[in-house]
Amino acid sequence: MLETYPFTGGTASEIASGVEVAVSEGRLPPGAVLPPVREVAEQAGVSPGTAAAAYRLLRERGVVETAGRRGTRVRPPPASTFREEIRIEAPPGVRDLSRGNPDPALLPPLHEALAAAARAHEESPAMYGTGDDEELVTLARARLRADGVPAEAPAITSGTLDAVERVLTAHLRPGDPVAVEDPGWTALLDLVAVLGLRPVPMRLDEEGPLPDELARALRAGVRAVVITARAQNPTGAGLSAARARELRALLAASPEVLLIEDDHGSGFVDLPPHPLAGATARWIHTRSTAKAFGPDLRLALIAGDPVTLDRLRGRQRLAAGWVSHLLQRAVAHLWRTEAVDSAAVAAAYGLRRNGLVTALAARGITAYGRSGLNVWIPVADESTAITRLLARGWACAPGARNRIGSPPALRLTVSTLAQEEIEPLADDLAGDLRPAPMGRYG
């Protein structure tokens, strides 16, 4: 195939564009090995430096990857079907436990918060160049510091994934390896694929990523590590104090690695935080308000090292610009007035989650759910289990959405599960699932 592709162009940009077109047209298929830089230079009639710059552009665009002695290869395209699209559509009459949403009954009313934000807007409208809401920044700084997270000047983004995308793009390049939890957050796994990064899975148990798995990923040369502090999606894992100490020690020995710590469970879980923030030179710690205040309030508070926060803000200014000040002021009002009883909300979710895990254990079924909204149940075959449960009137999410190499499982969102539903659901699960061994998820 390569013998028929002529490398042409007088500049690095022209050579790179030609290769990119050939890849999109299928003349250079995924896995095709490109010739060494000197050969490209000879074909195109340019200097080796220009040819090397063309390869660098192609790597940055995610078109090719360089793998040492294996040379430079054409990367496979991102998946056309994202993990988020692998879902079960619950037919009428089926109880849907697949969506991952919080309980609407436990979300705060927004009338007063939005009205207060509107009044503040009328008194002092936010214009171009206006900074983040001072009250919200002050409240975020105090809350983060109270939990042991260094936070001099928190940034504000449109949710956790917005921050993660900007930081990964600012620090990494296509082909770079990133350590992720397996099973892990579907949206993050999709994002890693779209950015052309290479996921390096880390197995976990109920206390978070296993230390030997993080150590293995660090030895493999990962450029970034993403870890969930509490309410891990989909397993409910949460870092214990002992596990956090082990992980911090490993990260401190690799200070050049970017650490991304996701604490979206803040405000609706009953596990105390054991932050890893600051264990490396480059890091962020994100806290989303979506689960506690509602998914449509897409706002996250971001602590981090000065360099990373500067890069995040710089990319934000060039794209979205800022997060709506009306939204910022509404969230500040909800925090200031303590519109959510975090302890009561955590207790309500815990009662449903622990109730199902206990009921399944009594029937010989292994299930996990230390914190958060979900219960993770290992199964022998996802398709068979899902089909049988649908026939019994229950819809759950296939674990395939969340897995890289970990065994099959089901994810059940229990946020709206009524107490009277727990025993019937456990009976139906026990009738369709055979017992699985306790232990790690992967």
Side-chain angles (χ1 to χ4, degrees), residues 150-184:
E152 295 303 318
I156 299 174
T157 64
S158 297
T160 293
L161 204 63
D162 179 39
V164 173
E165 179 183 14
R166 297 182 194 283
V167 170
L168 286 175
T169 303
H171 280 287
L172 275 62
R173 293 294 178 266
D176 284 345
V178 179
V180 295
E181 296 160 339
D182 182 20

Side-chain angles (χ1 to χ4, degrees), residues 193-274:
V194 167
L195 294 180
L197 303 173
R198 179 163 57 88
V200 177
M202 299 183 295
R203 292 178 299 165
L204 61 155
D205 61 15
E206 291 190 293
E207 297 182 54
L210 298 163
D212 59 343
E213 290 286 290
L214 174 59
R216 178 186 55 78
L218 293 172
R219 287 195 302 270
V222 295
R223 295 287 311 284
V225 175
V226 186
I227 293 177
T228 308
R230 302 176 278 186
Q232 198 264 358
N233 187 353
T235 68
L239 292 180
S240 65
R243 181 62 54 80
R245 283 194 298 271
E246 291 182 273
L247 299 182
R248 284 187 68 90
L250 290 168
L251 290 165
S254 298
E256 73 286 354
V257 171
L258 170 67
L259 168 65
I260 296 176
E261 186 175 26
D262 173 11
D263 190 18
H264 71 275
S266 176
F268 74 97
V269 298
D270 49 9
L271 291 182
H274 301 291

Side-chain angles (χ1 to χ4, degrees), residues 1-8 18-20 22-23 26-37 39-40 43-44 55 58 63-65 70-75:
M1 179 69 73
L2 289 181
E3 288 78 1
T4 64
Y5 175 74
F7 288 84
T8 60
V19 172
E20 200 166 2
V23 170
R27 289 183 285 133
L28 288 175
V33 180
L34 302 187
V37 165
E39 289 187 24
V40 174
Q43 283 191 41
Y55 271 21
L58 289 167
V63 179
V64 303
E65 60 185 356
R70 291 185 296 164
T72 299
R73 297 171 178 266
V74 176
R75 285 182 53 83

Side-chain angles (χ1 to χ4, degrees), residues 103-348:
D103 183 356
L106 295 178
L107 301 178
L110 300 181
H111 305 82
E112 292 184 10
L114 294 174
R119 288 194 296 271
H121 175 76
E122 291 170 1
E123 295 171 4
S124 178
M127 299 294 183
Y128 293 111
T130 303
D132 289 329
D133 183 72
E134 292 183 5
E135 182 184 18
L136 180 59
V137 171
T138 299
L139 289 169
R141 183 188 299 117
R143 286 168 177 254
L144 288 163
R145 286 177 173 175
D147 287 336
V149 178
E152 295 303 318
I156 299 174
T157 64
S158 297
T160 293
L161 204 63
D162 179 39
V164 173
E165 179 183 14
R166 297 182 194 283
V167 170
L168 286 175
T169 303
H171 280 287
L172 275 62
R173 293 294 178 266
D176 284 345
V178 179
V180 295
E181 296 160 339
D182 182 20
W185 182 24
T186 304
L188 174 67
L189 300 180
D190 279 344
L191 176 63
V192 166
V194 167
L195 294 180
L197 303 173
R198 179 163 57 88
V200 177
M202 299 183 295
R203 292 178 299 165
L204 61 155
D205 61 15
E206 291 190 293
E207 297 182 54
L210 298 163
D212 59 343
E213 290 286 290
L214 174 59
R216 178 186 55 78
L218 293 172
R219 287 195 302 270
V222 295
R223 295 287 311 284
V225 175
V226 186
I227 293 177
T228 308
R230 302 176 278 186
Q232 198 264 358
N233 187 353
T235 68
L239 292 180
S240 65
R243 181 62 54 80
R245 283 194 298 271
E246 291 182 273
L247 299 182
R248 284 187 68 90
L250 290 168
L251 290 165
S254 298
E256 73 286 354
V257 171
L258 170 67
L259 168 65
I260 296 176
E261 186 175 26
D262 173 11
D263 190 18
H264 71 275
S266 176
F268 74 97
V269 298
D270 49 9
L271 291 182
H274 301 291
L276 304 174
T280 60
R282 300 287 173 257
W283 61 275
I284 62 166
H285 178 100
T286 80
R287 288 196 172 179
S288 169
T289 61
K291 294 293 193 301
F293 294 159
D296 207 30
L297 271 69
R298 302 193 65 79
L299 183 148
L301 292 308
I302 314 297
D305 69 274
V307 170
T308 299
L309 289 184
D310 282 348
R311 292 183 181 182
L312 186 156
R313 291 189 179 101
R315 290 177 177 273
Q316 184 182 46
R317 284 194 294 270
L318 290 172
W322 66 90
V323 176
S324 164
H325 290 83
L326 288 169
L327 181 59
Q328 292 188 44
R329 289 166 175 169
V331 170
H333 179 90
L334 292 169
W335 269 358
R336 174 167 38 81
T337 60
E338 298 183 348
V340 171
D341 185 340
S342 298
V345 171

